[in-house]
């Protein structure tokens, strides 16, 4: 009576190790990881992929993915990915980077990699703070946002303005696909997965640099429940960091999701 | 094969190509730039990878990534650029990857100048980045040696999964000498077990320099140290001149070593029985042979284009058994053989105190000759 | 036996190239040789010079304080190097570009109007080869034919058309003797 009627509707992707992650409860890193693993499995790329982990909360990402991985110095993942991709042009190479890693210490490397049109895919986690070190101000921290190093709230007069990374990189001719998505609800997560798929396809087709910025939550450092964190993301981050496509090379054929173009 | 008149920087670049270099990543900086420029044409011609990186940080991390794939890779730079690369060299050393780096040293500290110098001896031989690790350091004194040591560097890097630095200076980079280039080696097809390749069915490979558990990091460090012991046992290289009957010994490497050779010959013509030891591997340093020679000779003279950095290694080897004199020029100044000859004559002329540090004696003389600047 | 030659002049006078021709010739004759330029800020505007050391055994220093020979293609080079030449050495001066005679009496001096001679041959830029020809005629370094062979063997294809003129320049320079 039992077995034959059971249909698997949800299981661990093949690209995942059978390990619990070290991420905080409610953090969206797990969702982002899962989307990457699902996409690479669907594309049949799992065993041809080399990931580059950052310094930050995702420093141990290589523990959770079931394929080859290297761990980069802080901010240098795009450079390391360049070295790998140039040595192994047939491999699928991606970096997984947070906002401190990519938009602060590693801004030079990401801009240079994008401008070279480096055939790598970048998954960029924007959660408006340095998570691993305990929630300091990041380049992406919103005006007025309280962090452990902007205790009175980010004062743009003294601490400058947040960086809209996707918009910034979209101005570069080497970038073929630069979009922003969010992980705060199922609809947006589905859109994010599509974008990740497109980004990897862009790499496989040799069209240029690809990046998906993912608006993410950090309930622990934000001092919120996971549910409230998702609401905060929608109410505060999305207005500042609009979801949309900022650079889509004309060679890319795909179903355009709704949003800004 | 026929000799070619070839410039040091170009010779090293072509030697690397012939050693089966698959990828090169670099950033322009004088007096190394010709190496990068040469490869910017040569590598694409052979359908190999060349990237002019956005910075030395970018370059060393591209090398880091390329080394993870188990294929021959290198970078080159000059002093300030190599300082920027130290973070990467520490990570690469901890990840146990074979990487070749050429440092065409220039005068410093700071922006300094582009003249030949040996002032990065400590940075090169002590592991200039954070944490405790070693890298092999080879110091050529001629264009031919630069070619031979570049070829060797790739083999040693792979044998010991280590960074190998070819430590030159601007004058060797700019100098032309007749030299013979080695035949082309095919690009290696067998890939080491540890490499990340994205190969189906082989299982997951991870390369990282993190050992978050201190016991794991300590085990890594023990492994690194054990490998370094093998390097010390097997890879010491040096060249001796006129050592057999030497009563005095000059020690100098690279350009300072070959300048000293001229001075040693001139001193021999004057009847002074002096020999020259020219260390070729600066790390591992030829402690043993120097220790043996210290028994044989009456006194030693260390000649460097820096403030006495190798001098400390010589002092370790000599262990206060014999007096040591030091002669150095700094900041991109290159000594003449005549100057070194004077130092040899002074060494042979009189007993030398073993009380004072050789550097203090030298510095006192430098102040008299060139002013204190204070 | 070791000979050191410094070739010095303004940037653009072909001093580095002249040194390379000498180095190639020495290499082809089976000698040890080093060629080293002075490089740095003085490459722009000031004097451009190189040192060539030719020897029968492994060469130590590629630079020397007291060279056996100097080719001074302009006045600043004469001023800079006259005092440095080893006693008994040889100084070749480009009379076209200086306004004084050397003062040393313990060296051999060859004076020749290299620019004018080169112009007669057809190109003032061959003055460096005129100077080199004079050096070899006055010092036992290499046979003069060695330079001619080196020019033929090591000049790039697209520049071969200048070889004949350069050989002419060497020969004309070779007609001058130390006073």
């Amino acid at each position: 009576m039992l077995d034959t009627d059971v249909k698997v509707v949800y299981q661990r992707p093949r690209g995942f190790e059978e390990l619990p992650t070290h991420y905080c409860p409610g953090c969206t890193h797990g969702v982002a990881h899962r989307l990457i693993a699902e996409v690479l499995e669907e594309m049949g790329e799992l065993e041809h992929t080399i990931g580059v982990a950052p310094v930050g909360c995702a420093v141990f990402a290589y523990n959770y993915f079931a394929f080859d991985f290297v761990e980069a110095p802080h901010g240098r993942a795009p450079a390391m990915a360049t070295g790998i991709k140039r040595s192994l042009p047939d491999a699928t190479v991606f970096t997984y980077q947070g906002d401190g890693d990519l938009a602060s210490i590693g801004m030079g490397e990401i801009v240079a990699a994008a401008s070279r049109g480096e055939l790598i895919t970048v998954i960029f986690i924007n959660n408006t703070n340095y998570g691993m070190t305990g929630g300091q101000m990041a380049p992406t921290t919103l005006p007025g946002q309280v962090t452990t190093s902007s205790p009175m709230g980010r004062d743009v007069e003294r601490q400058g303005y947040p960086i809209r990374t996707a918009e910034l990189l979209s101005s570069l001719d080497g970038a073929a696909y630069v979009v922003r998505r969010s992980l705060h609800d199922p609809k947006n997560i589905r859109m994010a997965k599509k974008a990740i798929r497109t980004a990897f396809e862009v790499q496989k087709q040799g069209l240029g640099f690809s990046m998906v910025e993912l608006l993410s939550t950090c309930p622990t450092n934000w001092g919120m429940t996971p549910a409230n964190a998702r609401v905060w993301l929608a109410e505060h981050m999305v207005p500042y960091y609009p979801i949309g496509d900022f650079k889509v090379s004309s060679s890319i054929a795909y179903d355009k999701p709704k949003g800004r173009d | 094969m026929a000799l070619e008149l070839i410039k040091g920087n170009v010779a090293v670049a072509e030697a690397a190509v012939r050693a089966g270099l698959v990828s090169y990543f670099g950033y322009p900086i004088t007096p190394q730039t010709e190496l990068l420029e040469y490869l910017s044409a040569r590598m694409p011609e052979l359908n190999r990878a060349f990237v002019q990186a956005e910075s030395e940080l970018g370059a060393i991390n591209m090398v880091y990534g390329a080394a993870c794939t188990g294929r021959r890779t290198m970078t080159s730079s000059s002093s300030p650029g190599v300082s920027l690369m130290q973070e990467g060299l520490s990570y690469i050393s901890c990840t146990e990857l074979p990487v070749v780096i050429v440092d065409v040293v220039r005068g410093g500290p700071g922006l300094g100048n582009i003249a030949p110098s040996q002032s990065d001896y400590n940075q090169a031989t002590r592991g200039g980045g954070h944490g405790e690790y070693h890298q092999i350091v080879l110091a050529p004194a001629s264009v031919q040696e630069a070619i031979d040591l570049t070829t060797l560097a790739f083999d040693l890097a792979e044998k010991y999964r280590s960074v190998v630095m070819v430590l030159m200076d601007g004058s060797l980079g700019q100098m032309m000498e007749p030299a013979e280039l080695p035949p082309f080696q095919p690009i290696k097809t067998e890939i080491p077990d540890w490499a990340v390749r994205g190969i189906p069915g082989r299982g997951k490979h991870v390369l990282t320099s993190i050992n978050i558990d201190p016991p794991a990091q300590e085990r890594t460090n023990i492994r690194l140290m054990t490998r370094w012991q093998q390097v010390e046992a097997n890879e010491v290289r040096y060249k001796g001149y006129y050592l057999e009957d030497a009563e005095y010994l000059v020690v100098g490497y690279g350009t300072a070593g070959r300048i000293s050779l001229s001075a040693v010959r001139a001193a021999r013509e004057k009847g002074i029985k002096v020999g020259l030891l020219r260390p070729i591997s600066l790390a591992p340093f030829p402690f043993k042979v120097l220790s043996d020679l210290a028994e044989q000779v009456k006194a030693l003279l260390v000649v460097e284009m820096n403030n006495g950095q190798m001098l400390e290694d010589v002092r370790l080897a000599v262990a206060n058994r014999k007096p040591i004199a030091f002669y150095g020029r700094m900041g991109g100044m290159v000594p003449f053989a005549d100057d070194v000859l004077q130092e040899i004559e002074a060494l042979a002329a009189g007993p030398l105190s073993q009380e004072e540090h050789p550097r203090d004696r030298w510095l006192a003389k430098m102040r008299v000759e060139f002013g204190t600047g204070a | 036996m070791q000979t050191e030659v410094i070739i010095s002049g303004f940037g653009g006078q072909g001093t580095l190239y002249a040194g390379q021709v000498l180095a190639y010739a020495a290499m082809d004759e089976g000698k040890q040789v080093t060629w080293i330029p002075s490089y740095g800020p003085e490459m722009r505007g000031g004097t451009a010079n190189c040192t060539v050391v030719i020897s029968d055994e492994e060469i130590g220093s590629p630079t020397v304080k007291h060279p056996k020979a100097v080719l001074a293609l302009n006045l600043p080079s004469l001023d800079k190097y006259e005092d440095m030449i080893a006693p008994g050495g040889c100084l070749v001066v480009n009379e076209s570009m200086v306004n004084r005679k050397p003062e040393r009496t313990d060296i051999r001096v060859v004076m020749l109007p290299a620019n004018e001679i080169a112009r007669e041959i057809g190109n003032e830029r061959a003055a460096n080869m005129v100077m080199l020809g004079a050096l070899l005629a006055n010092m036992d370094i290499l046979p003069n034919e060695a330079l001619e062979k080196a020019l033929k063997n090591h000049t790039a294809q697209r520049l071969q058309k200048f070889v004949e003129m350069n050989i002419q320049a060497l020969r004309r320079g070779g007609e001058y003797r130390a006073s």
Side-chain angles (χ1 to χ4, degrees):
Chain A
M1 177 80 211
L2 286 173
D3 289 359
T4 49
D5 286 347
V6 171
K7 194 177 159 206
V8 175
V9 293
Y10 188 85
Q11 66 180 354
R12 187 181 291 276
R14 273 215 308 128
F16 263 0
E17 300 283 4
E18 291 194 25
L19 281 175
T21 73
H22 70 286
Y23 298 116
C24 304
C27 162
T28 45
H29 268 308
V31 178
H33 282 28
R34 183 177 175 99
L35 297 183
I36 294 167
E38 286 179 358
V39 164
L40 290 172
E41 183 178 347
E42 287 161 19
M43 290 174 71
E45 284 298 315
L46 275 181
E47 291 186 307
H48 306 284
T49 298
I50 299 168
V52 184
V55 169
C57 283
V59 69
F60 291 126
Y62 56 78
N63 282 334
Y64 311 132
F65 290 104
F67 45 82
D68 286 5
F69 238 94
V70 301
E71 209 296 304
H74 198 21
R76 319 295 175 224
M80 225 174 149
T82 298
I84 295 169
K85 186 70 179 186
R86 297 282 182 134
S87 301
L88 298 173
D90 295 332
T92 295
V93 180
F94 77 95
T95 73
Y96 186 100
Q97 300 178 259
D99 36 24
D101 192 82
L102 183 143
S104 187
I105 193 168
M107 190 55 109
E109 281 75 11
I110 194 68
V111 168
S115 69
R116 282 195 305 268
E118 211 61 62
L119 296 177
I120 60 172
T121 297
V122 174
I123 307 299
F124 170 41
I125 305 297
N126 176 358
N127 63 7
T128 72
N129 78 111
Y130 283 79
M132 186 177 70
T133 47
Q136 292 77 32
M137 185 180 72
T140 46
T141 296
L142 296 173
Q145 188 179 347
V146 171
T147 70
T148 60
S149 59
S150 56
M152 282 83 77
R154 182 176 192 156
D155 174 0
V156 295
E157 293 292 318
R158 289 189 300 121
Q159 291 154 322
Y161 293 87
I163 297 174
R164 293 186 180 93
T165 312
E167 287 89 330
L168 187 75
L169 295 180
S170 69
S171 74
L172 300 169
D173 290 348
Y177 184 68
V178 179
V179 302
R180 182 181 294 116
R181 298 290 184 266
S182 180
L183 300 178
H184 69 278
D185 64 21
K187 173 177 160 263
N188 277 287
I189 290 171
R190 276 197 297 276
M191 282 168 61
K193 182 174 173 183
K194 260 190 173 171
I196 292 170
R197 170 83 189 224
T198 306
F200 279 113
E201 296 285 359
V202 164
Q203 177 180 167
K204 292 312 284 180
Q205 290 168 31
L207 300 177
F209 172 87
S210 54
M211 184 181 87
V212 180
E213 175 174 342
L214 296 173
L215 301 182
S216 303
T217 63
C218 185
T220 298
N221 287 312
W222 291 355
M224 297 176 197
T225 64
N228 287 345
R230 286 197 295 276
V231 173
W232 190 87
L233 187 162
E235 288 179 354
H236 294 88
M237 287 179 71
V238 173
Y240 203 95
Y241 297 115
I243 293 161
D245 299 358
F246 300 97
K247 180 73 176 283
V248 179
S249 153
S250 56
S251 328
I252 300 172
Y254 79 120
D255 299 331
K256 213 177 206 182
K258 286 197 195 94
R260 204 174 111 167
D261 195 0
Chain B
M1 264 192 60
L3 289 172
E4 296 172 47
L5 191 64
I6 183 165
K7 196 177 250 198
N9 280 336
V10 171
V12 167
E14 180 61 24
V17 166
R18 292 179 183 218
L21 182 68
V22 175
S23 60
Y24 171 91
F25 309 91
Y27 188 77
I29 182 170
T30 311
Q32 160 273 165
T33 306
E34 288 150 322
L35 212 163
L36 169 136
E37 285 175 342
Y38 180 85
L39 290 174
S40 71
R42 190 77 168 115
M43 294 294 276
E45 177 183 291
L46 296 167
N47 205 19
R48 303 182 188 181
F50 169 92
V51 178
Q52 179 174 325
E54 62 275 15
S55 68
E56 285 90 350
L57 293 177
I60 194 65
N61 285 288
M62 290 176 192
V63 164
Y64 190 6
C68 286
T69 69
R71 312 193 81 183
R72 289 192 160 180
T73 185
M74 76 178 281
T75 186
S76 60
S77 190
S78 176
S79 307
V82 175
S83 289
L84 277 170
M85 292 182 178
Q86 293 302 330
E87 178 203 38
L89 290 173
S90 171
Y91 280 64
I92 290 165
S93 297
C94 189
T95 313
E96 301 171 56
L97 298 174
V99 161
V100 172
I101 172 170
V102 179
D103 184 355
V104 186
V105 180
R106 57 188 250 182
L111 197 50
N113 56 50
I114 59 175
S117 172
Q118 299 184 323
S119 53
D120 295 347
Y121 180 93
N122 283 346
Q123 185 192 56
T125 61
R126 266 52 182 174
H130 62 282
E132 41 205 358
Y133 65 93
H134 291 274
Q135 62 191 18
I136 297 170
V137 182
L138 305 172
S142 68
V143 173
Q144 185 65 60
E145 214 169 64
I147 291 169
D148 298 344
L149 293 179
T150 300
T151 311
L152 176 70
F154 284 97
D155 294 336
L156 294 183
E158 281 167 3
K159 183 173 178 189
Y160 297 103
R161 292 182 62 178
S162 167
V163 173
V164 180
M165 178 178 278
V166 178
L167 193 71
M168 319 215 304
D169 65 62
S171 68
L172 186 49
Q174 298 293 325
M175 186 164 63
M176 289 177 97
E177 281 185 301
E180 190 178 326
L181 285 158
F184 260 86
Q185 289 183 43
I187 285 179
K188 286 195 172 180
T189 47
E190 85 266 34
I191 299 299
D193 279 346
W194 47 260
V196 296
R197 304 284 298 180
I199 297 175
R202 203 188 57 157
K204 166 179 162 184
H205 281 49
V206 170
L207 288 170
T208 175
S209 70
I210 293 188
N211 294 281
I212 204 73
D213 278 342
Q217 184 67 60
E218 189 173 52
R219 279 195 299 277
T220 297
N221 291 9
I222 291 170
R223 188 171 61 250
L224 291 175
M225 291 298 297
T226 305
R227 199 174 294 147
W228 184 251
Q229 279 185 324
Q230 293 164 5
V231 172
E232 284 180 319
N234 301 325
E235 306 302 344
V236 170
R237 286 174 170 80
Y238 58 87
K239 192 164 175 187
Y241 303 81
Y242 312 106
L243 292 179
E244 205 150 286
D245 62 342
E247 295 174 0
Y248 300 93
L249 181 69
V250 179
V251 189
Y253 74 91
T255 295
R258 68 182 292 166
I259 291 168
S260 297
L261 175 60
S262 294
V264 163
R265 285 196 188 122
R268 283 256 164 194
E269 275 173 30
K270 294 187 170 196
I272 302 172
K273 288 187 174 170
V274 57
L276 169 69
L277 182 74
R278 181 165 65 77
I280 292 172
S281 61
L282 304 182
F285 189 74
F287 284 109
K288 173 77 171 64
V289 63
L290 196 49
S291 177
D292 293 347
L293 284 165
E295 284 300 316
Q296 175 190 326
V297 301
K298 294 178 185 163
L300 297 89
L301 169 68
V302 176
V303 180
E304 298 182 78
M305 281 145 59
N306 62 36
N307 64 1
Q309 300 186 23
M310 182 184 69
L311 171 64
E312 298 302 336
D313 282 333
V314 174
R315 293 180 72 228
L316 278 175
V318 174
N320 220 27
R321 285 172 291 166
K322 297 290 164 63
I324 300 174
F326 173 66
Y327 180 68
R329 295 303 302 271
M330 298 179 288
M333 295 298 292
V334 181
F336 282 109
D338 288 5
D339 308 331
V340 179
L341 173 62
Q342 274 186 18
E343 299 293 321
I344 296 172
E345 286 176 312
L347 190 73
L352 202 60
S353 147
Q354 272 170 261
E355 294 302 311
E356 214 179 350
H357 195 295
R359 187 185 293 110
D360 293 339
R361 244 186 338 250
W362 159 77
L363 190 57
K365 275 195 338 204
M366 291 292 282
R367 273 196 295 265
V368 171
E369 197 168 342
F370 300 110
T372 63
Chain C
M1 234 285 277
Q2 177 171 307
T3 307
E4 312 92 14
V5 182
I6 290 178
I7 306 176
S8 179
F10 290 125
Q13 282 189 297
T15 57
L16 303 188
Y17 177 70
Q20 286 180 7
V21 172
L22 182 60
Y24 275 117
M27 178 178 81
D28 291 348
E29 290 292 305
K31 303 277 191 187
Q32 303 278 334
V33 62
T34 59
W35 171 95
I36 191 167
S38 71
Y39 67 94
E42 71 265 41
M43 278 169 68
R44 307 272 181 273
T47 65
N49 68 74
C50 64
T51 304
V52 179
V53 180
I54 300 170
S55 177
D56 294 318
E57 58 178 350
E58 181 182 344
I59 293 171
S61 180
T63 53
V64 284
K65 213 174 203 170
H66 302 296
K68 294 235 174 78
V70 168
L71 305 190
L73 274 76
N74 63 5
L75 184 62
S77 303
L78 175 63
D79 292 345
K80 182 172 176 186
Y81 290 111
E82 180 180 354
D83 289 344
M84 294 188 192
I85 299 167
C90 183
L91 171 61
V92 184
V93 181
N94 179 9
E95 238 176 335
S96 316
M97 299 288 284
V98 302
N99 59 7
R100 70 170 179 87
K101 293 215 176 314
E103 286 154 19
R104 291 269 300 265
T105 54
D106 61 339
I107 55 173
R108 284 173 299 136
V109 174
V110 187
M111 300 285 286
L112 72 168
N115 286 43
E116 279 78 18
I117 296 167
R119 211 177 299 137
E120 281 169 31
I121 296 167
N123 191 335
E124 198 163 345
R125 292 179 64 185
N128 56 350
M129 292 297 124
V130 175
M131 298 285 286
L132 204 52
L135 173 72
L136 259 69
N138 285 277
M139 242 186 134
D140 186 20
I141 306 173
L142 297 169
N144 215 339
E145 309 84 70
L147 285 176
E148 297 184 11
K149 263 196 287 180
L151 276 172
K152 284 179 186 149
N153 293 339
H154 300 286
T155 301
Q157 199 56 43
R158 67 194 165 85
L159 299 172
Q160 278 287 337
K161 56 182 182 238
F162 297 113
V163 167
E164 242 348 277
M165 187 182 65
N166 278 334
I167 287 175
Q168 270 250 293
L170 285 172
R171 288 180 184 169
R172 287 291 304 277
E175 292 164 9
Y176 287 79
R177 289 293 178 278
S179 50

